[in-house]
Amino acid sequence: MDETPERLTTRPSWLITQLAVHARKLVFDGFTAVGARGYHYRILAALHEYGPASQAELGRRCRIDRSDVVAAVNDLVERGFADRAPDPDHGRRNRVTLTQDGARQLRRMDKVLDQVQDDLLEPLSAEDRQTLTRLLTRVLARHEPR
């Protein structure tokens, strides 16, 4: 049996890191099964929630580097999940829009993430999951750039 030093197992930072590695793998595997990537989900979710946006806006909202946004949007456009067209209000900017196929893909990805949450947090009750989410949100908010 692999023994882990107590100095590690009693540190929330170590536990969060270990859980993040596991969560990342579950999400990656789930998204791969539906032909998607994490950046796709972020962008499709932002387009669904906020409507059409420039690539720069998507990068800020989704916390994705500009060059990665371009690559992800290119991929989404190629797959028919998003449209990109010149912004009529700003000649040098493109506007990205969610398509119907993109909305369907987002729903597939939502189902994947729902299953990942269930798998990841299976030992916790619904109330514990809400508490964990609330606490993680509070801690993360403290460390967000202002």
Side-chain angles (χ1 to χ4, degrees):
M1 179 173 165
D2 184 25
E3 294 180 5
T4 305
E6 185 178 351
R7 281 191 163 121
L8 297 177
T9 62
T10 58
R11 306 280 185 191
S13 58
W14 186 84
L15 294 168
I16 290 167
T17 300
Q18 296 307 301
L19 193 55
V21 168
H22 186 64
R24 190 173 296 120
K25 182 181 179 348
L26 290 173
V27 170
F28 178 84
D29 291 347
F31 282 170
T32 298
V34 295
R37 299 177 51 197
Y39 284 167
H40 294 169
Y41 185 78
R42 292 186 200 185
I43 291 170
L44 293 175
L47 291 172
H48 183 264
E49 188 166 335
Y50 300 109
S54 70
Q55 293 177 163
E57 287 171 315
L58 289 171
R60 283 189 297 277
R61 284 184 180 142
C62 301
R63 299 182 186 184
I64 303 173
D65 183 77
R66 186 177 307 155
S67 63
D68 292 329
V69 169
V70 171
V73 168
N74 286 346
D75 195 28
L76 291 169
V77 168
E78 285 175 20
R79 294 169 182 235
F81 298 147
D83 285 327
R84 179 177 39 217
D87 185 336
D89 298 328
H90 192 282
R92 296 179 55 202
R93 184 171 33 205
N94 284 318
R95 205 126 176 95
V96 182
T97 307
L98 182 67
T99 65
Q100 287 184 352
D101 285 344
R104 279 191 287 279
Q105 177 70 344
L106 180 59
R107 286 190 296 275
R108 281 190 291 273
M109 295 175 80
D110 279 333
K111 288 178 184 174
V112 165
L113 282 183
D114 289 345
Q115 185 60 53
V116 166
Q117 305 316 299
D118 287 343
D119 291 348
L120 187 67
L121 303 175
E122 188 272 329
L124 302 180
S125 68
E127 184 180 338
D128 286 345
R129 291 176 188 201
Q130 290 175 343
T131 299
L132 177 63
T133 301
R134 185 176 39 64
L135 292 172
L136 290 172
T137 300
R138 187 184 323 160
V139 172
L140 182 59
R142 165 64 176 83
H143 298 283
E144 292 287 297
R146 293 174 188 177

